[in-house]
């Protein structure tokens, strides 16, 4: 069993490293073909801000796919919730806190309803979420009448357009580096406590040092423009919270067990229907969070969100980031890497003034390549 876990961990690391290499190659290529305009601090800040809502949706999609499910309604759910919040604030004049609470509650209700149908009626996730996609596509048109509902209050737009002050960004970086070190030390203590094999202290310090350098570099780049964008900060908080949920809680371990072997999970005493319902509920919640960022950035709720195929971007982000479509394997942080790769393609090709169809074609090639790589690594591990 221990050998299998080591192999699985190595496989995931190799996949993640491969995607990091793909991202580096893309950035080098776009920098060369755009006369250096791609790797400016302004452009990188905008790129990460654009990737935020896709990455947040990708986190929820990762948990769903890890269970062996799928959510084809995520994009429409996000757009529908955005329209609901636009009505609340623009037409009904509700305050920003009340509007946000309503939006988050709607996301939770939608996710819970989908989860209950999937977990307790045995209707396939594909069918449930495909039906929901159609329902919410129509719901957006019904709510907006095909028009854009705008503008939002300044306090609402804050979530999609504002930045953290540079000095606060350095404080956040310092806290993140210290927290990362404490997490590494705690992991090492746990291994010592249970007699697990320990890696050399130098390897742990080296990994921590590399991550610290990346954090400092990211904050420096973002501060060189205007600071850390609020959407990026929200995305980072979501990643930290859901990484903890996935890796450190009984519920998180149950999610991976269900995706690995649902029959074995039932024999192990896991309440499979309850866990599945919670997964889809959390996915709905994250769709609502993404809706806040999306509508705040656009300063309006619009049915045009139905044309964005954002659920496909979320699925692609999760898969490109290392989540296996067969279930049981995936990292929350990988979805962010996948979202950055997707947005890098959009951003770089836009700077090159290429037609939009090239963006779809390249993203499709990378998605197929990621799934192929997943298949090959699974064969190798066997």
């Amino acid at each position: 069993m221990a050998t299998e876990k080591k192999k699985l961990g190595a496989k995931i690391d190799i996949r993640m490293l491969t995607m990091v290499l793909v991202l580096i190659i893309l950035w080098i290529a776009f920098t060369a073909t755009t006369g250096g305009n791609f790797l400016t601090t302004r452009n990188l800040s905008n790129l990460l801000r654009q990737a935020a809502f896709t990455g947040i949706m990708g986190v929820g999609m990762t948990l769903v796919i890890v269970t062996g499910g799928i959510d084809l309604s995520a994009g429409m759910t996000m757009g529908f919730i955005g329209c609901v919040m636009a009505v609340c604030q623009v037409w009904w004049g509700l305050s920003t806190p009340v509007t946000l609470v309503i939006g988050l509650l709607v996301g939770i209700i939608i996710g819970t309803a989908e989860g209950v149908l999937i977990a307790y009626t045995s209707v396939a996730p594909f069918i449930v979420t495909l039906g929901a996609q159609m329902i919410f596509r129509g719901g957006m048109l019904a709510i907006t009448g095909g028009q854009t509902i705008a503008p939002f209050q300044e306090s609402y737009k804050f979530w999609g357009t504002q930045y953290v002050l540079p000095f606060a960004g350095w404080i956040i970086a310092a806290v993140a580096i210290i927290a990362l070190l404490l997490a590494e030390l705690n992991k090492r203590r746990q291994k010592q406590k249970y007699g697990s094999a320990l890696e050399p202290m130098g390897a742990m310090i080296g990994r921590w040092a590399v991550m610290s350098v990346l954090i400092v570099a990211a904050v420096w780049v973002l501060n060189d423009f205007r600071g850390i964008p609020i959407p990026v900060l929200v995305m980072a908080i979501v990643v930290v919270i859901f990484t903890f949920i996935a890796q450190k809680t009984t519920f998180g371990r149950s999610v991976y067990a269900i995706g690995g072997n649902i029959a074995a999970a039932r024999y192990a005493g896991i309440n499979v229907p309850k866990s599945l319902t919670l997964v889809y509920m959390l996915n709905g919640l994250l769709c609502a969070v993404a809706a806040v960022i999306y509508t705040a950035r656009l300063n309006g709720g619009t049915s045009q969100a139905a044309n964005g195929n954002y659920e496909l971007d979320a699925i692609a982000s999760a898969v490109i980031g290392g989540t296996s479509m067969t279930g049981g394997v995936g990292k929350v942080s990988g979805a962010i890497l996948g979202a950055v790769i997707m947005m890098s393609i959009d951003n770089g090709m836009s700077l090159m003034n290429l037609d939009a169809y090239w963006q779809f074609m390249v993203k499709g090639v990378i998605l197929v390549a990621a799934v192929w790589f997943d298949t090959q690594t699974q064969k190798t591990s066997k």
Side-chain angles (χ1 to χ4, degrees):
M1 182 63 73
T3 303
E4 290 179 0
K5 287 183 178 179
K6 288 181 181 178
K7 287 183 178 179
L8 181 59
K11 180 182 76 169
I12 296 175
D13 288 341
I14 291 172
R15 293 167 67 193
M16 291 288 285
L17 288 173
T18 301
M19 289 301 105
V20 169
L21 180 61
V22 168
L23 180 62
I24 292 172
I25 292 172
L26 283 173
W27 282 19
I28 292 173
F30 286 138
T31 301
T33 54
T34 60
N37 291 328
F38 182 83
L39 277 183
T40 63
T41 54
R42 178 190 182 95
N43 188 61
L44 290 177
S45 178
N46 288 334
L47 187 157
L48 291 176
R49 191 157 59 96
Q50 292 164 2
F53 82 90
T54 301
I56 291 169
M57 290 175 62
V59 169
M61 192 66 70
T62 295
L63 295 181
V64 169
I65 296 176
V66 164
T67 66
I70 196 72
D71 182 7
L72 299 178
S73 70
M76 300 305 151
T77 299
M78 186 271 293
F80 176 78
I81 295 171
C83 291
V84 169
M85 289 189 291
V87 168
C88 289
Q89 183 149 105
V90 179
W91 288 356
W92 295 352
L94 299 181
S95 66
T96 294
V98 173
T99 300
L100 295 178
V101 169
I102 290 173
L104 296 177
L105 286 176
V106 171
I108 290 172
I109 291 169
I110 290 173
T112 302
E114 291 181 349
V116 167
L117 285 172
I118 291 166
Y120 291 95
T121 67
S122 298
V123 180
F126 180 91
I127 298 301
V128 171
T129 58
L130 180 61
Q133 180 192 90
M134 297 177 182
I135 291 170
F136 296 126
R137 184 189 294 269
M140 279 188 281
L141 290 171
I143 289 174
T144 65
Q147 62 180 317
T148 298
I149 305 175
F152 283 108
Q153 299 170 15
E154 289 298 323
S155 57
Y156 186 96
K157 290 192 292 181
F158 167 86
W159 296 102
T161 61
Q162 295 303 306
Y163 299 80
V164 175
L165 293 175
F167 80 89
W170 288 120
I171 293 174
I172 292 171
V175 171
I177 290 171
I178 294 171
L180 191 62
L181 178 60
L182 294 176
E184 289 286 354
L185 292 173
N186 181 63
K187 186 192 303 182
R188 188 175 182 85
R189 281 196 298 270
Q190 291 297 319
K191 287 184 177 181
Q192 288 178 326
K193 179 179 178 181
Y194 294 105
S196 301
L198 288 176
E199 64 178 348
M201 177 64 78
M204 187 202 79
I205 296 298
R207 182 171 61 249
W208 171 76
V210 169
M211 292 301 298
S212 298
V213 169
L214 291 175
I215 291 171
V216 170
V219 173
W220 180 84
V221 168
L222 294 173
N223 279 352
D224 191 59
F225 179 50
R226 294 180 61 185
I228 301 174
I230 293 299
V232 175
L233 180 60
V234 173
M235 178 176 68
I237 293 172
V238 166
V239 170
V240 170
I241 293 173
F242 278 80
T243 296
F244 177 81
I245 290 174
Q247 297 181 0
K248 302 297 183 181
T249 67
T250 302
F251 165 70
R253 290 189 286 271
S254 298
V255 170
Y256 284 91
I258 291 169
N261 189 323
I262 192 169
R266 288 194 177 99
Y267 284 125
I270 295 173
N271 189 331
V272 173
K274 179 181 177 181
S275 296
L276 286 176
T277 301
L278 286 173
V279 165
Y280 282 91
M281 182 194 75
L282 291 173
N283 182 53
L285 174 63
L286 291 182
C287 285
V289 174
V292 173
I293 293 174
Y294 178 77
T295 53
R297 183 164 63 89
L298 293 182
N299 190 25
T302 174
S303 60
Q304 293 302 310
N307 301 326
N309 295 319
Y310 297 121
E311 64 280 346
L312 300 184
D313 283 345
I315 294 170
S317 295
V319 174
I320 290 172
T323 303
S324 174
M325 291 299 294
T326 58
V329 175
K331 283 186 175 180
V332 166
S333 57
I336 306 304
L337 175 61
V340 172
I341 290 175
M342 299 283 284
M343 290 303 106
S344 295
I345 294 170
D346 288 346
N347 183 282
M349 290 190 170
S350 295
L351 290 176
M352 293 170 62
N353 293 319
L354 293 178
D355 292 324
Y357 60 80
W358 285 108
Q359 299 175 20
F360 292 113
M361 292 168 68
V362 172
K363 286 193 286 189
V365 169
I366 292 178
L367 176 59
V368 173
V371 174
W372 173 83
F373 188 75
D374 170 55
T375 303
Q376 294 303 115
T377 51
Q378 286 193 41
K379 289 180 180 179
T380 302
S381 66
K382 293 178 182 178

